[in-house]
Amino acid sequence: MSRAERRLPVLITLLVGLMLSIMPLPDSAEPFRPDWLALLLIFWAMQLPRSWSVGTAWIVGVVLDVSYGTLLGQHAVALCVIVFITVRFHLLMRVFPLSQLTLTVFALLALYQFILFWINGVAGVTAPSITYWAPVITGTLLWPFFHMFLSGIRFRPSSGA
Amino acid sequence: MVASRGNNSSPARIPALGLRVIVLILVSIVLMYLDHRQNHLDGIRRGIGAAVYPVRLLVDAPVRFWAWLGESTTSRNELELELGRLQAERLLTNARLQRLTALEAENARLRALLEARTRVRDEVRVAEIMAVDANPYEHNLVIDIGTRDGVYDGQAIVDANGVVGQVIETGIMTSQAVLISDADHALPVEVNRNGLRTIAVGTGEIDRLDLPFLPNNADIRAGDLLVTSGLGGAFPSGYPVAVVDSVTRMPSEPFADVSATPSAALDQVREVMLVWSAPPVAPEDDVEEDSE
């Protein structure tokens, strides 16, 4: 299978992730929007750490910064760090049972949100309310389904994996 | 990329991973610093913004489609009702407009008497708000015109009822704007009744502004209309901003606690108007201040 063909599914999921990240939600649901791109990057970095690692995370992060109008580089740093940790421990994470993996994802998402929070603090952006941490919870709760769904894409018979 | 050799299942370490992550983090820190201190990165933002534009359109499309579907399936009855309402409204507006023309002429005459410069009418252009959420913790919105149409940073945005916000970031085809209710936004205003100048600060709540710098003895009461004073330079003067809804004077505090409700329906607007205000008054035209 050609290189481009192997990359296509990942690129499509990232594009869909970006769309989900900027899609309008009702005000009540807004704070609970999971960090789709963080989840996606964790998954792909775990499965294909040689093709999709910190470089991809950085580019995605910059695009996210532009879309959200946040400090240029803020999401980029946060995504870089969690993807770095994921790639570093990808072999371990692959053999984790799903429950343990979900806990790991929880920790990664919490770290991600904390880095964003911390940069906001340094830059003097107003401190948000407690719902700021909600995406960590929703992301973790979604992870098992998310993982099963993406594994379906990744290990399709036609992908030859 | 460095990691292109070998296949994915080989359990070796990823070469130079640590180095790469350190370099990327350093680059990000430099970017953040530059972005925070100065505006050198507007070009980069604009470029990436243009690249993301198709995605924004894609996200926006279903919402637009629903709106279109809703419009095309409205019943004839409803349309007739709305037509009637609009005609009545137009009659009313026209009547007011006649008076306005007279008043404008009179205003120009009086200003000529004062040897002051006539105010040029502001040029406006309608923009649509794209159904795209920017940062959820700031009151931002994305509009569908950008530098291509002459939008500039700091440009004022109004709707039919009052001031909505101002442009904070321009892209080629889209721009981002901050609403006046954003917690980081402040706007120079004056009380329409007596010309009292103050500053209206956003609260982070979509339907409330604060006026934190009014002393206890300031002449302000509930129901007062606040209009832009034009002093900040960003907003042209005379656009309605908010209506004062409560004034609490506490003897122990130096400032009164005044809150106001924005005139524009900030969370309901779909179309807004961008205002190109007249160029700033040249220094020699300071007669206005002298004559007051």
Side-chain angles (χ1 to χ4, degrees):
Chain A
M1 190 168 56
S2 80
R3 207 183 156 89
E5 222 176 301
R6 211 172 50 228
R7 299 208 154 186
L8 199 62
V10 182
L11 287 175
I12 290 174
T13 54
L14 287 178
L15 190 67
V16 172
L18 181 62
M19 285 173 64
L20 287 173
S21 306
I22 60 174
M23 193 179 68
L25 288 181
D27 275 354
S28 47
E30 181 68 68
F32 300 98
R33 182 201 299 269
D35 297 303
W36 296 107
L37 287 169
L39 291 176
L40 276 170
L41 285 166
I42 292 175
F43 180 85
W44 291 120
M46 200 172 87
Q47 301 295 344
L48 307 165
R50 283 180 184 278
S51 331
W52 307 95
S53 66
V54 290
T56 322
W58 192 79
I59 294 167
V60 169
V62 170
V63 169
L64 210 50
D65 283 324
V66 171
S67 310
Y68 280 167
T70 45
L71 222 47
L72 210 58
Q74 183 176 359
H75 285 86
V77 165
L79 285 176
C80 257
V81 171
I82 61 165
V83 167
F84 170 70
I85 296 172
T86 310
V87 174
R88 200 77 181 67
F89 297 106
H90 71 276
L91 291 176
L92 201 60
M93 283 168 73
R94 277 189 203 167
V95 295
F96 275 173
L98 193 55
S99 55
Q100 207 172 342
L101 184 60
T102 308
L103 279 180
T104 317
V105 169
F106 172 76
L108 286 172
L109 288 178
L111 176 67
Y112 170 73
Q113 209 71 357
F114 176 77
I115 296 173
L116 294 180
F117 178 72
W118 182 69
I119 296 174
N120 273 346
V122 173
V125 177
T126 341
S129 59
I130 187 82
T131 54
Y132 177 80
W133 301 96
V136 180
I137 308 293
T138 46
T140 311
L141 292 178
L142 266 173
W143 177 261
F145 308 100
F146 193 78
H147 186 255
M148 282 183 242
F149 173 71
L150 282 181
S151 304
I153 295 179
R154 161 99 175 88
F155 300 113
R156 246 179 348 175
S158 63
S159 76
Chain B
M1 212 177 267
V2 194
S4 57
R5 76 187 152 79
N7 69 40
N8 293 315
S9 52
S10 85
R13 279 162 33 102
I14 313 292
L17 181 71
L19 184 71
R20 264 169 31 201
V21 88
I22 286 169
V23 168
L24 287 173
I25 287 175
L26 285 179
V27 170
S28 310
I29 290 173
V30 171
L31 272 183
M32 280 190 279
Y33 179 79
L34 287 178
D35 199 28
H36 191 50
R37 297 280 152 202
Q38 299 110 352
N39 297 326
H40 291 325
L41 301 174
D42 283 1
I44 302 180
R45 261 179 199 278
R46 229 166 267 160
I48 301 173
V52 181
Y53 179 65
V55 180
R56 288 187 167 172
L57 276 188
L58 219 60
V59 170
D60 199 32
V63 181
R64 261 169 214 250
F65 179 71
W66 271 117
W68 174 81
L69 209 66
E71 266 168 33
S72 34
T73 53
T74 328
S75 71
R76 186 192 155 83
N77 196 9
E78 266 173 61
L79 282 176
E80 268 170 5
L81 272 178
E82 187 164 355
L83 189 69
R85 198 176 53 77
L86 286 176
Q87 265 166 352
E89 208 176 289
R90 179 165 158 268
L91 207 67
L92 212 74
T93 328
N94 268 351
R96 275 204 204 124
L97 203 64
Q98 283 172 15
R99 273 191 59 217
L100 185 73
T101 326
L103 282 176
E104 224 170 45
E106 186 183 331
N107 193 310
R109 258 199 328 276
L110 290 174
R111 274 178 182 277
L113 282 179
L114 286 169
E115 288 181 271
R117 182 189 145 99
T118 335
R119 269 181 220 190
V120 188
R121 269 190 198 211
D122 300 319
E123 196 195 324
V124 295
R125 188 185 153 150
V126 175
E128 260 188 67
I129 295 174
M130 298 184 76
V132 171
D133 270 318
N135 198 331
Y137 290 99
E138 287 163 23
H139 290 187
N140 285 1
L141 43 86
V142 179
I143 52 173
D144 68 345
I145 62 178
T147 45
R148 205 176 48 166
D149 309 277
V151 178
Y152 56 88
D153 273 0
Q155 186 165 20
I157 298 178
V158 300
D159 77 350
N161 302 314
V163 174
V164 172
Q166 62 177 309
V167 175
I168 44 171
E169 211 179 283
T170 49
I172 297 167
M173 280 164 290
T174 57
S175 310
Q176 252 186 48
V178 60
L179 297 181
I180 52 173
S181 59
D182 187 284
D184 285 334
H185 191 265
L187 171 70
V189 294
E190 61 184 33
V191 178
N192 199 30
R193 181 166 54 83
N194 55 13
L196 176 72
R197 288 189 304 270
T198 184
I199 290 179
V201 181
T203 55
E205 288 167 58
I206 200 96
D207 56 355
R208 208 164 68 85
L209 299 179
D210 266 352
L211 278 67
F213 307 115
L214 281 170
N216 270 328
N217 60 1
D219 178 13
I220 190 161
R221 41 179 129 104
D224 274 347
L225 176 69
L226 304 170
V227 299
T228 50
S229 66
L231 287 177
F235 285 89
S237 58
Y239 284 92
V241 176
V243 176
V244 175
D245 54 22
S246 80
V247 181
T248 318
R249 297 186 163 89
M250 284 166 295
S252 57
E253 304 277 331
F255 293 109
D257 187 8
V258 184
S259 69
T261 311
S263 310
L266 295 180
D267 49 352
Q268 288 161 21
V269 284
R270 179 87 184 140
E271 273 125 15
V272 292
M273 282 178 288
L274 268 77
V275 184
W276 276 264
S277 47
V281 182
E284 65 262 27
D285 287 340
D286 280 344
V287 196
E288 273 183 86
E289 267 124 331
D290 298 345
S291 60
E292 270 168 16

